[in-house]
Amino acid sequence: MTLLVVNVVLYVAAVGSSRLTYDSLMIPALMQNFGEPVRLFASFFVTNDLLDVALNMWCLYIIGRLVEPVLGPWRYIAVYLLSGLGGSVAYYLLGNPMVQAAGASGAIFGLFGAYFVLARRASANTSGIIGLIAINLVFSFTVPDIAWQAHVGGLATGLVVAGGLSLARRGRLREQLLVGTGVVLATTVALGLLLTLAPGAVNLG
């Protein structure tokens, strides 16, 4: 709920400030050599697109209520933030450097991936989440002006982070802390190394 409220408040702020909206956009060409790094995170929190915010916050409300109780608040936030960052990095590398993008979809896809990992670990039926991911990916690749790169990057990051976090045994707080810290640091370093490449280094449009 905190993430939902933060996103809605920032949407309202973006509607009232074109400067805030512009300064939060993912524009890879402005970010070479770690320039304007705040865009990596701001881009999946700040947007003035009402439909984008409404759809993403609805998904966050539904999937978040399933994932957060299992992971706990701090690991849940880590998955959300790293998935959003993974989406931004993927767009930086795979998108057109001159085309802007924004929205929380990469982070939401990361939560989809996390739910899949948690469901598999619990030996639960995963056909529903697989179908949901597949449908959303079809939309990502077929509907114009959707940053599919961020969706794929967020999904991949969510799968990796949740998979790493799930290595810690339940009830072992010290083990969960050590594993969680290692996963967060390793993921952050890996994404940071990818940012040393030129924007659009693997430009797929």
Side-chain angles (χ1 to χ4, degrees):
M1 292 304 296
T2 300
L3 287 172
L4 195 153
V5 170
V6 168
N7 276 277
V8 171
V9 168
L10 289 174
Y11 161 74
V12 173
V15 169
S17 173
S18 58
R19 181 67 183 184
L20 173 63
T21 301
Y22 177 78
D23 287 345
S24 303
L25 292 170
M26 268 296 299
I27 306 177
L30 301 180
M31 303 171 65
Q32 189 166 6
N33 299 321
F34 296 94
E36 303 190 31
V38 69
R39 293 180 185 271
L40 291 167
F41 289 96
S43 60
F44 62 88
F45 276 107
V46 182
T47 178
N48 60 3
D49 187 324
L50 178 58
L51 180 60
D52 183 74
V53 170
L55 290 175
N56 282 329
M57 293 307 100
W58 179 73
C59 289
L60 177 61
Y61 179 72
I62 299 299
I63 198 71
R65 291 191 301 167
L66 301 174
V67 175
E68 184 178 6
V70 180
L71 289 178
W74 298 112
R75 295 197 299 171
Y76 171 73
I77 289 174
V79 170
Y80 185 88
L81 293 178
L82 287 173
S83 296
L85 178 61
S88 294
V89 172
Y91 188 77
Y92 172 87
L93 291 175
L94 304 176
N96 185 325
M98 300 303 298
V99 176
Q100 63 194 35
S105 301
I108 301 300
F109 266 85
L111 294 182
F112 289 163
Y115 179 80
F116 171 80
V117 170
L118 296 174
R120 289 282 293 180
R121 184 187 180 199
S123 299
N125 189 334
T126 57
S127 58
I129 188 63
I130 290 175
L132 180 63
I133 292 172
I135 291 171
N136 277 278
L137 285 176
V138 169
F139 277 108
S140 299
F141 285 103
T142 58
V143 177
D145 300 323
I146 289 183
W148 61 265
Q149 301 91 339
H151 297 182
V152 172
L155 175 62
T157 306
L159 288 168
V160 170
V161 173
L165 293 176
S166 68
L167 295 176
R169 291 169 289 181
R170 293 179 180 177
R172 302 295 183 91
L173 295 181
R174 177 180 171 81
E175 183 175 320
Q176 289 181 351
L177 178 61
L178 290 174
V179 171
T181 302
V183 169
V184 169
L185 289 176
T187 305
T188 303
V189 169
L191 294 175
L193 289 174
L194 290 175
L195 288 171
T196 62
L197 299 174
V202 195
N203 183 5
L204 300 178

